[in-house]
Amino acid sequence: MEIKIIKKNKKNFLDLLLLGDEQEDMIDKYLESGKMFALYDDDDLKSICVVTKEGKDVIEIKNLATYEKYQRQGYGSKLIKYIFEYYRDKCKTIFVGTGDGTSNVSFYEHCGFKLSHKVKNFFIENYDHPIFENGVQVADMIYLRKEI
Ligand SMILES: CC(C)(COP(=O)(O)OP(=O)(O)OC[C@H]1O[C@@H](n2cnc3c(N)ncnc32)[C@H](O)[C@@H]1OP(=O)(O)O)[C@@H](O)C(=O)NCCC(=O)NCCS
């Protein structure tokens, strides 16, 4: 398994980026300034993650995705663990925002994040189409945080 930092042509990963954040103009807001990590196993891309610096000692995970056929095989957690190590001496707090009530919340809790705060109606006000998970519309963004 290998994790690479991607500096050029980040849009080549658009299929995976859209799995983590389904509107391209929202991705464009953080892709250039963000640091992109890509996890490969057997030379095959499995997962990506984009992280931004949000202030002194604070970073945010803006996008994380594992190809559907490789989900629940530990790749997402391995990438998050790598990011904890990578940033351990560079920052103190990691935030991640995701749809309130989605299964992603369980994933981030599994990775050691704790619930922080909500942004009411974030997905309704910032996306040009309704976002659904398992047939239920997602309205609020829930932030989780972890101290590293
Ligand atoms: C969220 C995501 C990145 C997790 O990646 P992954 O490679 O499947 O994660 P892992 O295999 O490391 O999962 C580790 C643990 O997290 C939890 N978890 C992961 N996906 C879950 C789900 N859909 N429902 C409930 N718990 C889940 C489980 O505890 C899992 O352990 P287990 O499989 O032994 O039960 C992946 O589901 C994904 O790409 N989803 C679509 C994109 C997306 O919504 N990204 C989040 C943007 S904020």
Side-chain angles (χ1 to χ4, degrees), residues 23-64:
Q23 191 170 308
E24 191 172 344
D25 62 3
M26 295 297 280
I27 295 172
D28 290 339
K29 290 183 182 170
Y30 54 76
L31 191 58
E32 267 323 297
S33 66
K35 198 175 267 281
M36 180 186 268
F37 300 84
L39 182 151
Y40 296 82
D41 199 14
D42 298 328
D43 289 330
D44 202 19
L45 177 64
K46 309 292 189 201
S47 308
I48 53 109
C49 185
V50 181
V51 177
T52 55
K53 189 146 180 58
E54 294 296 317
K56 192 179 175 299
D57 294 332
V58 180
I59 58 166
E60 183 173 335
I61 293 171
K62 292 285 191 182
N63 196 314
L64 174 73

mmCIF file of all heavy atoms in Angstrom, residues 23-64:
data_model
loop_
_atom_site.group_PDB
_atom_site.id
_atom_site.type_symbol
_atom_site.label_atom_id
_atom_site.label_comp_id
_atom_site.label_asym_id
_atom_site.label_seq_id
_atom_site.Cartn_x
_atom_site.Cartn_y
_atom_site.Cartn_z
ATOM 1 N N GLN A 23 -20.947 18.074 -6.132
ATOM 2 C CA GLN A 23 -21.097 19.247 -7.013
ATOM 3 C C GLN A 23 -19.718 19.829 -7.345
ATOM 4 O O GLN A 23 -19.006 20.281 -6.451
ATOM 5 C CB GLN A 23 -21.981 20.291 -6.330
ATOM 6 C CG GLN A 23 -22.397 21.412 -7.267
ATOM 7 C CD GLN A 23 -23.474 22.281 -6.623
ATOM 8 O OE1 GLN A 23 -24.489 21.775 -6.142
ATOM 9 N NE2 GLN A 23 -23.249 23.568 -6.598
ATOM 10 N N GLU A 24 -19.404 19.854 -8.655
ATOM 11 C CA GLU A 24 -18.039 20.206 -9.060
ATOM 12 C C GLU A 24 -17.637 21.624 -8.653
ATOM 13 O O GLU A 24 -16.497 21.856 -8.245
ATOM 14 C CB GLU A 24 -17.891 20.024 -10.574
ATOM 15 C CG GLU A 24 -16.448 20.115 -11.007
ATOM 16 C CD GLU A 24 -16.238 19.753 -12.467
ATOM 17 O OE1 GLU A 24 -17.136 19.150 -13.084
ATOM 18 O OE2 GLU A 24 -15.151 20.085 -12.978
ATOM 19 N N ASP A 25 -18.557 22.597 -8.719
ATOM 20 C CA ASP A 25 -18.128 23.962 -8.373
ATOM 21 C C ASP A 25 -17.868 24.106 -6.863
ATOM 22 O O ASP A 25 -17.152 25.025 -6.444
ATOM 23 C CB ASP A 25 -19.075 25.040 -8.913
ATOM 24 C CG ASP A 25 -20.484 24.950 -8.343
ATOM 25 O OD1 ASP A 25 -20.745 24.093 -7.484
ATOM 26 O OD2 ASP A 25 -21.345 25.748 -8.777
ATOM 27 N N MET A 26 -18.417 23.216 -6.051
ATOM 28 C CA MET A 26 -18.082 23.214 -4.625
ATOM 29 C C MET A 26 -16.665 22.639 -4.440
ATOM 30 O O MET A 26 -15.894 23.137 -3.623
ATOM 31 C CB MET A 26 -19.091 22.389 -3.815
ATOM 32 C CG MET A 26 -20.501 22.947 -3.817
ATOM 33 S SD MET A 26 -20.642 24.578 -3.043
ATOM 34 C CE MET A 26 -20.667 24.153 -1.313
ATOM 35 N N ILE A 27 -16.324 21.615 -5.207
ATOM 36 C CA ILE A 27 -14.976 21.023 -5.155
ATOM 37 C C ILE A 27 -13.938 22.065 -5.579
ATOM 38 O O ILE A 27 -12.865 22.191 -4.980
ATOM 39 C CB ILE A 27 -14.904 19.772 -6.074
ATOM 40 C CG1 ILE A 27 -15.826 18.678 -5.548
ATOM 41 C CG2 ILE A 27 -13.469 19.277 -6.230
ATOM 42 C CD1 ILE A 27 -15.993 17.479 -6.473
ATOM 43 N N ASP A 28 -14.291 22.867 -6.603
ATOM 44 C CA ASP A 28 -13.348 23.870 -7.122
ATOM 45 C C ASP A 28 -12.946 24.886 -6.063
ATOM 46 O O ASP A 28 -11.890 25.496 -6.156
ATOM 47 C CB ASP A 28 -13.966 24.599 -8.326
ATOM 48 C CG ASP A 28 -14.069 23.685 -9.534
ATOM 49 O OD1 ASP A 28 -13.340 22.676 -9.581
ATOM 50 O OD2 ASP A 28 -14.888 23.977 -10.426
ATOM 51 N N LYS A 29 -13.803 25.065 -5.052
ATOM 52 C CA LYS A 29 -13.497 26.066 -4.014
ATOM 53 C C LYS A 29 -12.304 25.679 -3.150
ATOM 54 O O LYS A 29 -11.696 26.530 -2.527
ATOM 55 C CB LYS A 29 -14.719 26.282 -3.102
ATOM 56 C CG LYS A 29 -15.854 26.989 -3.813
ATOM 57 C CD LYS A 29 -17.006 27.252 -2.856
ATOM 58 C CE LYS A 29 -18.141 27.916 -3.619
ATOM 59 N NZ LYS A 29 -19.371 28.002 -2.864
ATOM 60 N N TYR A 30 -12.015 24.376 -3.050
ATOM 61 C CA TYR A 30 -10.913 23.968 -2.161
ATOM 62 C C TYR A 30 -9.836 23.131 -2.840
ATOM 63 O O TYR A 30 -8.805 22.858 -2.244
ATOM 64 C CB TYR A 30 -11.466 23.208 -0.937
ATOM 65 C CG TYR A 30 -12.352 22.014 -1.265
ATOM 66 C CD1 TYR A 30 -11.805 20.817 -1.704
ATOM 67 C CD2 TYR A 30 -13.732 22.079 -1.118
ATOM 68 C CE1 TYR A 30 -12.613 19.723 -1.999
ATOM 69 C CE2 TYR A 30 -14.551 20.991 -1.403
ATOM 70 C CZ TYR A 30 -13.987 19.822 -1.850
ATOM 71 O OH TYR A 30 -14.780 18.755 -2.150
ATOM 72 N N LEU A 31 -10.059 22.740 -4.099
ATOM 73 C CA LEU A 31 -9.149 21.747 -4.685
ATOM 74 C C LEU A 31 -7.733 22.289 -4.888
ATOM 75 O O LEU A 31 -6.752 21.622 -4.554
ATOM 76 C CB LEU A 31 -9.726 21.221 -6.008
ATOM 77 C CG LEU A 31 -9.008 20.004 -6.563
ATOM 78 C CD1 LEU A 31 -9.029 18.848 -5.577
ATOM 79 C CD2 LEU A 31 -9.631 19.575 -7.887
ATOM 80 N N GLU A 32 -7.609 23.505 -5.403
ATOM 81 C CA GLU A 32 -6.267 24.027 -5.685
ATOM 82 C C GLU A 32 -5.496 24.296 -4.393
ATOM 83 O O GLU A 32 -4.333 23.946 -4.257
ATOM 84 C CB GLU A 32 -6.346 25.280 -6.554
ATOM 85 C CG GLU A 32 -6.245 24.980 -8.040
ATOM 86 C CD GLU A 32 -5.279 23.838 -8.390
ATOM 87 O OE1 GLU A 32 -4.045 23.937 -8.128
ATOM 88 O OE2 GLU A 32 -5.768 22.802 -8.908
ATOM 89 N N SER A 33 -6.173 24.916 -3.416
ATOM 90 C CA SER A 33 -5.472 25.255 -2.165
ATOM 91 C C SER A 33 -5.302 24.016 -1.273
ATOM 92 O O SER A 33 -4.458 24.003 -0.376
ATOM 93 C CB SER A 33 -6.246 26.329 -1.399
ATOM 94 O OG SER A 33 -7.492 25.808 -0.975
ATOM 95 N N GLY A 34 -6.091 22.983 -1.510
ATOM 96 C CA GLY A 34 -6.045 21.801 -0.643
ATOM 97 C C GLY A 34 -4.882 20.878 -0.983
ATOM 98 O O GLY A 34 -4.376 20.871 -2.101
ATOM 99 N N LYS A 35 -4.482 20.087 0.010
ATOM 100 C CA LYS A 35 -3.465 19.058 -0.217
ATOM 101 C C LYS A 35 -4.201 17.751 -0.493
ATOM 102 O O LYS A 35 -5.102 17.376 0.274
ATOM 103 C CB LYS A 35 -2.577 18.929 1.027
ATOM 104 C CG LYS A 35 -1.262 18.217 0.736
ATOM 105 C CD LYS A 35 -0.360 18.224 1.947
ATOM 106 C CE LYS A 35 0.606 19.367 1.996
ATOM 107 N NZ LYS A 35 1.782 19.239 1.163
ATOM 108 N N MET A 36 -3.839 17.117 -1.606
ATOM 109 C CA MET A 36 -4.543 15.880 -1.975
ATOM 110 C C MET A 36 -3.678 14.650 -1.711
ATOM 111 O O MET A 36 -2.506 14.607 -2.100
ATOM 112 C CB MET A 36 -4.939 15.900 -3.445
ATOM 113 C CG MET A 36 -5.662 14.641 -3.850
ATOM 114 S SD MET A 36 -5.981 14.558 -5.613
ATOM 115 C CE MET A 36 -7.575 15.288 -5.652
ATOM 116 N N PHE A 37 -4.257 13.681 -1.034
ATOM 117 C CA PHE A 37 -3.602 12.412 -0.734
ATOM 118 C C PHE A 37 -4.333 11.310 -1.508
ATOM 119 O O PHE A 37 -5.576 11.304 -1.526
ATOM 120 C CB PHE A 37 -3.694 12.100 0.764
ATOM 121 C CG PHE A 37 -3.048 13.135 1.641
ATOM 122 C CD1 PHE A 37 -3.723 14.292 2.018
ATOM 123 C CD2 PHE A 37 -1.744 12.951 2.100
ATOM 124 C CE1 PHE A 37 -3.125 15.244 2.833
ATOM 125 C CE2 PHE A 37 -1.132 13.903 2.918
ATOM 126 C CZ PHE A 37 -1.826 15.047 3.279
ATOM 127 N N ALA A 38 -3.577 10.403 -2.110
ATOM 128 C CA ALA A 38 -4.201 9.299 -2.858
ATOM 129 C C ALA A 38 -3.616 7.979 -2.369
ATOM 130 O O ALA A 38 -2.386 7.837 -2.289
ATOM 131 C CB ALA A 38 -3.946 9.468 -4.350
ATOM 132 N N LEU A 39 -4.504 7.056 -2.013
ATOM 133 C CA LEU A 39 -4.071 5.743 -1.497
ATOM 134 C C LEU A 39 -4.163 4.703 -2.620
ATOM 135 O O LEU A 39 -5.221 4.559 -3.244
ATOM 136 C CB LEU A 39 -4.950 5.341 -0.314
ATOM 137 C CG LEU A 39 -4.605 4.011 0.378
ATOM 138 C CD1 LEU A 39 -5.006 4.072 1.853
ATOM 139 C CD2 LEU A 39 -5.265 2.814 -0.279
ATOM 140 N N TYR A 40 -3.044 4.023 -2.869
ATOM 141 C CA TYR A 40 -2.986 2.964 -3.879
ATOM 142 C C TYR A 40 -2.689 1.637 -3.182
ATOM 143 O O TYR A 40 -1.917 1.594 -2.220
ATOM 144 C CB TYR A 40 -1.859 3.234 -4.888
ATOM 145 C CG TYR A 40 -2.068 4.491 -5.712
ATOM 146 C CD1 TYR A 40 -1.731 5.739 -5.195
ATOM 147 C CD2 TYR A 40 -2.604 4.428 -6.999
ATOM 148 C CE1 TYR A 40 -1.932 6.895 -5.937
ATOM 149 C CE2 TYR A 40 -2.813 5.583 -7.745
ATOM 150 C CZ TYR A 40 -2.468 6.811 -7.214
ATOM 151 O OH TYR A 40 -2.672 7.959 -7.939
ATOM 152 N N ASP A 41 -3.303 0.572 -3.675
ATOM 153 C CA ASP A 41 -2.962 -0.779 -3.211
ATOM 154 C C ASP A 41 -2.827 -1.628 -4.466
ATOM 155 O O ASP A 41 -3.659 -1.493 -5.384
ATOM 156 C CB ASP A 41 -4.067 -1.321 -2.286
ATOM 157 C CG ASP A 41 -3.568 -2.476 -1.426
ATOM 158 O OD1 ASP A 41 -2.339 -2.681 -1.351
ATOM 159 O OD2 ASP A 41 -4.413 -3.172 -0.826
ATOM 160 N N ASP A 42 -1.828 -2.465 -4.531
ATOM 161 C CA ASP A 42 -1.535 -3.224 -5.759
ATOM 162 C C ASP A 42 -1.503 -2.285 -6.966
ATOM 163 O O ASP A 42 -2.054 -2.612 -8.037
ATOM 164 C CB ASP A 42 -2.603 -4.319 -5.995
ATOM 165 C CG ASP A 42 -2.628 -5.327 -4.873
ATOM 166 O OD1 ASP A 42 -1.546 -5.573 -4.294
ATOM 167 O OD2 ASP A 42 -3.719 -5.842 -4.568
ATOM 168 N N ASP A 43 -0.928 -1.082 -6.787
ATOM 169 C CA ASP A 43 -0.805 -0.079 -7.855
ATOM 170 C C ASP A 43 -2.143 0.441 -8.363
ATOM 171 O O ASP A 43 -2.227 1.038 -9.434
ATOM 172 C CB ASP A 43 -0.004 -0.626 -9.054
ATOM 173 C CG ASP A 43 1.455 -0.782 -8.705
ATOM 174 O OD1 ASP A 43 1.939 0.000 -7.868
ATOM 175 O OD2 ASP A 43 2.085 -1.701 -9.258
ATOM 176 N N ASP A 44 -3.194 0.193 -7.612
ATOM 177 C CA ASP A 44 -4.538 0.544 -8.039
ATOM 178 C C ASP A 44 -5.101 1.599 -7.078
ATOM 179 O O ASP A 44 -5.020 1.423 -5.857
ATOM 180 C CB ASP A 44 -5.384 -0.745 -7.953
ATOM 181 C CG ASP A 44 -6.590 -0.695 -8.832
ATOM 182 O OD1 ASP A 44 -6.607 0.124 -9.764
ATOM 183 O OD2 ASP A 44 -7.528 -1.476 -8.559
ATOM 184 N N LEU A 45 -5.648 2.692 -7.639
ATOM 185 C CA LEU A 45 -6.194 3.750 -6.790
ATOM 186 C C LEU A 45 -7.434 3.259 -6.029
ATOM 187 O O LEU A 45 -8.345 2.694 -6.629
ATOM 188 C CB LEU A 45 -6.575 4.953 -7.666
ATOM 189 C CG LEU A 45 -7.229 6.129 -6.952
ATOM 190 C CD1 LEU A 45 -6.262 6.768 -5.952
ATOM 191 C CD2 LEU A 45 -7.713 7.168 -7.961
ATOM 192 N N LYS A 46 -7.443 3.474 -4.712
ATOM 193 C CA LYS A 46 -8.591 3.040 -3.897
ATOM 194 C C LYS A 46 -9.334 4.236 -3.306
ATOM 195 O O LYS A 46 -10.559 4.250 -3.308
ATOM 196 C CB LYS A 46 -8.130 2.155 -2.727
ATOM 197 C CG LYS A 46 -7.227 1.008 -3.098
ATOM 198 C CD LYS A 46 -7.961 -0.034 -3.898
ATOM 199 C CE LYS A 46 -7.086 -1.284 -4.057
ATOM 200 N NZ LYS A 46 -7.450 -2.109 -5.156
ATOM 201 N N SER A 47 -8.572 5.210 -2.722
ATOM 202 C CA SER A 47 -9.207 6.299 -1.960
ATOM 203 C C SER A 47 -8.447 7.599 -2.179
ATOM 204 O O SER A 47 -7.235 7.581 -2.426
ATOM 205 C CB SER A 47 -9.152 6.035 -0.450
ATOM 206 O OG SER A 47 -9.632 4.777 -0.095
ATOM 207 N N ILE A 48 -9.167 8.716 -2.010
ATOM 208 C CA ILE A 48 -8.503 10.033 -2.007
ATOM 209 C C ILE A 48 -9.031 10.853 -0.828
ATOM 210 O O ILE A 48 -10.123 10.593 -0.311
ATOM 211 C CB ILE A 48 -8.713 10.838 -3.305
ATOM 212 C CG1 ILE A 48 -10.201 10.946 -3.637
ATOM 213 C CG2 ILE A 48 -7.926 10.289 -4.476
ATOM 214 C CD1 ILE A 48 -10.749 12.286 -3.440
ATOM 215 N N CYS A 49 -8.226 11.861 -0.480
ATOM 216 C CA CYS A 49 -8.619 12.775 0.585
ATOM 217 C C CYS A 49 -8.031 14.153 0.275
ATOM 218 O O CYS A 49 -6.897 14.241 -0.193
ATOM 219 C CB CYS A 49 -8.078 12.258 1.918
ATOM 220 S SG CYS A 49 -8.605 13.228 3.330
ATOM 221 N N VAL A 50 -8.820 15.211 0.503
ATOM 222 C CA VAL A 50 -8.320 16.578 0.308
ATOM 223 C C VAL A 50 -8.450 17.319 1.638
ATOM 224 O O VAL A 50 -9.508 17.297 2.275
ATOM 225 C CB VAL A 50 -9.118 17.314 -0.790
ATOM 226 C CG1 VAL A 50 -8.558 18.726 -0.982
ATOM 227 C CG2 VAL A 50 -9.097 16.541 -2.100
ATOM 228 N N VAL A 51 -7.336 17.965 2.023
ATOM 229 C CA VAL A 51 -7.255 18.631 3.327
ATOM 230 C C VAL A 51 -6.876 20.097 3.108
ATOM 231 O O VAL A 51 -5.970 20.392 2.323
ATOM 232 C CB VAL A 51 -6.164 17.943 4.191
ATOM 233 C CG1 VAL A 51 -5.996 18.651 5.520
ATOM 234 C CG2 VAL A 51 -6.499 16.470 4.407
ATOM 235 N N THR A 52 -7.549 21.010 3.813
ATOM 236 C CA THR A 52 -7.187 22.436 3.709
ATOM 237 C C THR A 52 -6.715 22.951 5.069
ATOM 238 O O THR A 52 -7.133 22.437 6.111
ATOM 239 C CB THR A 52 -8.384 23.296 3.269
ATOM 240 O OG1 THR A 52 -9.476 23.073 4.160
ATOM 241 C CG2 THR A 52 -8.804 22.995 1.843
ATOM 242 N N LYS A 53 -5.891 24.007 5.003
ATOM 243 C CA LYS A 53 -5.481 24.674 6.237
ATOM 244 C C LYS A 53 -6.516 25.749 6.519
ATOM 245 O O LYS A 53 -6.856 26.535 5.643
ATOM 246 C CB LYS A 53 -4.086 25.287 6.028
ATOM 247 C CG LYS A 53 -3.481 25.813 7.266
ATOM 248 C CD LYS A 53 -1.956 25.647 7.274
ATOM 249 C CE LYS A 53 -1.317 26.180 8.539
ATOM 250 N NZ LYS A 53 -1.799 25.589 9.772
ATOM 251 N N GLU A 54 -7.054 25.754 7.725
ATOM 252 C CA GLU A 54 -8.154 26.681 8.038
ATOM 253 C C GLU A 54 -7.737 27.753 9.033
ATOM 254 O O GLU A 54 -8.549 28.598 9.394
ATOM 255 C CB GLU A 54 -9.342 25.895 8.608
ATOM 256 C CG GLU A 54 -9.986 24.946 7.621
ATOM 257 C CD GLU A 54 -10.623 25.662 6.442
ATOM 258 O OE1 GLU A 54 -11.295 26.685 6.648
ATOM 259 O OE2 GLU A 54 -10.438 25.200 5.300
ATOM 260 N N GLY A 55 -6.501 27.707 9.484
ATOM 261 C CA GLY A 55 -6.045 28.678 10.476
ATOM 262 C C GLY A 55 -4.849 28.087 11.164
ATOM 263 O O GLY A 55 -4.445 26.960 10.849
ATOM 264 N N LYS A 56 -4.299 28.854 12.113
ATOM 265 C CA LYS A 56 -3.124 28.341 12.827
ATOM 266 C C LYS A 56 -3.531 27.063 13.568
ATOM 267 O O LYS A 56 -4.507 27.069 14.312
ATOM 268 C CB LYS A 56 -2.647 29.413 13.825
ATOM 269 C CG LYS A 56 -1.296 29.121 14.397
ATOM 270 C CD LYS A 56 -0.867 30.219 15.345
ATOM 271 C CE LYS A 56 0.438 29.895 16.021
ATOM 272 N NZ LYS A 56 0.447 28.697 16.835
ATOM 273 N N ASP A 57 -2.860 25.984 13.293
ATOM 274 C CA ASP A 57 -3.087 24.721 13.999
ATOM 275 C C ASP A 57 -4.415 24.041 13.692
ATOM 276 O O ASP A 57 -4.822 23.129 14.413
ATOM 277 C CB ASP A 57 -2.984 24.915 15.527
ATOM 278 C CG ASP A 57 -1.581 25.285 15.949
ATOM 279 O OD1 ASP A 57 -0.643 24.889 15.247
ATOM 280 O OD2 ASP A 57 -1.438 25.971 16.975
ATOM 281 N N VAL A 58 -5.132 24.513 12.669
ATOM 282 C CA VAL A 58 -6.429 23.895 12.341
ATOM 283 C C VAL A 58 -6.461 23.507 10.858
ATOM 284 O O VAL A 58 -6.145 24.322 9.988
ATOM 285 C CB VAL A 58 -7.605 24.863 12.620
ATOM 286 C CG1 VAL A 58 -8.942 24.203 12.269
ATOM 287 C CG2 VAL A 58 -7.609 25.312 14.064
ATOM 288 N N ILE A 59 -6.840 22.250 10.612
ATOM 289 C CA ILE A 59 -7.050 21.811 9.230
ATOM 290 C C ILE A 59 -8.446 21.219 9.112
ATOM 291 O O ILE A 59 -9.099 20.935 10.120
ATOM 292 C CB ILE A 59 -5.991 20.772 8.777
ATOM 293 C CG1 ILE A 59 -6.003 19.547 9.706
ATOM 294 C CG2 ILE A 59 -4.608 21.389 8.687
ATOM 295 C CD1 ILE A 59 -5.257 18.361 9.145
ATOM 296 N N GLU A 60 -8.885 21.064 7.854
ATOM 297 C CA GLU A 60 -10.217 20.475 7.636
ATOM 298 C C GLU A 60 -10.140 19.452 6.505
ATOM 299 O O GLU A 60 -9.535 19.716 5.467
ATOM 300 C CB GLU A 60 -11.223 21.583 7.280
ATOM 301 C CG GLU A 60 -12.639 21.032 7.103
ATOM 302 C CD GLU A 60 -13.691 22.133 6.923
ATOM 303 O OE1 GLU A 60 -13.477 23.280 7.388
ATOM 304 O OE2 GLU A 60 -14.727 21.826 6.293
ATOM 305 N N ILE A 61 -10.760 18.322 6.721
ATOM 306 C CA ILE A 61 -10.913 17.331 5.647
ATOM 307 C C ILE A 61 -12.109 17.775 4.819
ATOM 308 O O ILE A 61 -13.231 17.855 5.318
ATOM 309 C CB ILE A 61 -11.139 15.922 6.232
ATOM 310 C CG1 ILE A 61 -9.862 15.478 6.954
ATOM 311 C CG2 ILE A 61 -11.536 14.926 5.140
ATOM 312 C CD1 ILE A 61 -10.023 14.196 7.759
ATOM 313 N N LYS A 62 -11.850 18.099 3.544
ATOM 314 C CA LYS A 62 -12.905 18.630 2.677
ATOM 315 C C LYS A 62 -13.520 17.545 1.807
ATOM 316 O O LYS A 62 -14.631 17.703 1.309
ATOM 317 C CB LYS A 62 -12.338 19.717 1.757
ATOM 318 C CG LYS A 62 -11.914 20.973 2.477
ATOM 319 C CD LYS A 62 -13.141 21.768 2.868
ATOM 320 C CE LYS A 62 -12.769 23.145 3.358
ATOM 321 N NZ LYS A 62 -13.941 23.902 3.784
ATOM 322 N N ASN A 63 -12.759 16.508 1.553
ATOM 323 C CA ASN A 63 -13.267 15.463 0.672
ATOM 324 C C ASN A 63 -12.553 14.170 1.030
ATOM 325 O O ASN A 63 -11.341 14.181 1.283
ATOM 326 C CB ASN A 63 -12.974 15.840 -0.790
ATOM 327 C CG ASN A 63 -13.786 15.019 -1.773
ATOM 328 O OD1 ASN A 63 -13.881 13.805 -1.636
ATOM 329 N ND2 ASN A 63 -14.361 15.681 -2.770
ATOM 330 N N LEU A 64 -13.315 13.096 1.071
ATOM 331 C CA LEU A 64 -12.746 11.767 1.314
ATOM 332 C C LEU A 64 -13.627 10.781 0.590
ATOM 333 O O LEU A 64 -14.857 10.836 0.720
ATOM 334 C CB LEU A 64 -12.735 11.457 2.816
ATOM 335 C CG LEU A 64 -12.303 10.032 3.180
ATOM 336 C CD1 LEU A 64 -10.803 9.848 2.977
ATOM 337 C CD2 LEU A 64 -12.647 9.709 4.632
#
